DNA sequence: ATTACTGCAAAGGATTTGCATGTGA
DNA sequence: TCACATGCAAATCCTTTGCAGTAAT
């Protein structure tokens, strides 16, 4: 591994990503680091197209299939999270920033709520069903304040 | 419409499905009723493959594209619900039976919980954010009791 | 009689896979 | 070295679309 790309400037909060990969029995390759870098820099949930675009910026020779495989590996070692909420395809994001979304079906607005607001519910599921919720990003659909209020558009 | 298929024996709880379709400006076709019948009989969330199999049982000439279009119409008039939680594709179910799932990422077991268990959370979101959650079927991923317990496989 | 709906076939987009080559450990 | 990872191309799977014939109203 002898690249001198922008990857060298990366400053991830989780600096143990190399150890994580090795611990999982995976090799540390520039492609995997570049993909990790990409989802770090894309705010929120990243589609494959977005990731591909950003990856291509650093190294245009990286293939889509490599990105898919890299994402599988990153998810396997817990560095990334895969989400299936968008009908257009899977989305990916950095693990660790647990948060959730309230998505308005009328105006499309998306509110972000911290994981703490789900804490009571998660505690209850653990007590009542012995189930530990691990979802990193949940999306709740519904109507926002403005769309619920009949006095507004 | 002159079929004498099993559709005639249908006993949906929502007997107003014909009115619903007409009210939406849609025509009442045997294909649409057969698709509605199919998702009524499939417990939980139905994949297109499942729906297709059941529909073919009643009328093998119905095309997949017709099923997709019928599902769009049924969702549009509020008789069915589309869900995007399965990476394999969209799933569909009869509207009205609000419930949610706890899906174990280790053993694959799926627990079903009634909507009431989310009531507190939904109430809080309404109070705090003015947001009314309408999701019909939520899926929470995590670990079930057996997989959390180290004394078992 | 209109006009929407269906079946068929083909296209489109996302994701996966086989394989020869390249490379991290 | 040598097993694992990559790039390329082709294949798969899910879903959508165009169109001419068919059926609901």
């Amino acid at each position: 591994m002898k690249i001198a790309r922008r990857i060298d400037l990366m400053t991830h909060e989780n600096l143990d990503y190399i150890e994580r990969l090795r611990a999982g029995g995976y090799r540390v390759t520039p492609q995997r680091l570049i993909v990790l870098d990409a989802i770090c820099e894309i705010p929120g949930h990243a589609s494959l197209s977005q990731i591909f675009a950003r990856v291509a910026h650093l190294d245009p020779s990286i293939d889509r299939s490599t990105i898919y495989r890299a994402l599988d590996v990153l998810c396997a070692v817990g560095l990334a999270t895969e989400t299936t909420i968008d009908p257009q395809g899977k989305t990916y994001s950095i693990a660790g920033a647990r948060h959730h979304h309230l998505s308005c079906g009328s105006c499309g607005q998306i509110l972000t709520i911290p994981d703490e607001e789900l804490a009571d519910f998660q505690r209850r599921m653990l007590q009542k069903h012995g189930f530990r919720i691990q979802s990193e990003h949940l999306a709740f659909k519904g109507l926002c304040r403005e769309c619920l209020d009949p006095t507004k558009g």
Side-chain angles (χ1 to χ4, degrees), chain A:
Chain A
M1 179 177 144
K2 48 173 163 40
I3 52 161
R5 304 189 181 102
R6 207 164 68 84
I7 192 74
D8 297 323
L9 306 174
M10 292 195 324
T11 54
H12 296 299
E13 287 186 29
N14 280 333
L15 287 172
D16 62 338
Y17 52 92
I18 290 186
E19 297 152 33
R20 289 266 198 128
L21 284 169
R22 295 230 168 97
Y26 300 101
R27 293 182 179 172
V28 179
T29 68
Q31 289 88 345
R32 286 172 180 166
L33 298 185
I34 289 176
V35 169
L36 179 60
D37 178 71
I39 59 177
C40 277
E41 299 215 351
I42 298 170
H45 303 233
S47 68
L48 191 103
S49 314
Q50 294 175 303
I51 298 172
F52 180 72
R54 204 169 258 280
V55 164
H57 202 250
L58 295 180
D59 183 342
S61 71
I62 297 180
D63 192 72
R64 276 190 160 77
S65 65
T66 300
I67 298 180
Y68 277 111
R69 289 187 273 222
L71 288 167
D72 284 346
V73 168
L74 294 174
C75 289
V77 299
L79 286 171
T81 302
E82 180 183 299
T83 315
T84 309
I85 48 174
D86 186 341
Q88 301 297 294
K90 299 175 191 166
T91 55
Y92 304 85
S93 52
I94 281 300
R98 280 175 71 124
H99 65 273
H100 312 289
H101 297 293
L102 302 176
S103 157
C104 179
S106 176
C107 68
Q109 175 183 181
I110 294 180
L111 302 173
T112 298
I113 62 173
D115 192 50
E116 298 89 81
E117 299 194 14
L118 251 154
D120 285 346
F121 172 68
Q122 299 188 45
R123 200 173 304 120
R124 181 174 305 179
M125 290 303 103
L126 189 55
Q127 289 170 353
K128 190 159 191 171
H129 303 284
F131 191 95
R132 167 162 293 139
I133 293 174
Q134 297 180 313
S135 306
E136 288 272 342
H137 305 289
L138 297 166
F140 301 94
K141 292 178 185 171
L143 292 176
C144 69
R145 196 193 307 272
E146 291 71 33
C147 294
L148 273 175
D149 186 337
T151 67
K152 302 186 181 180

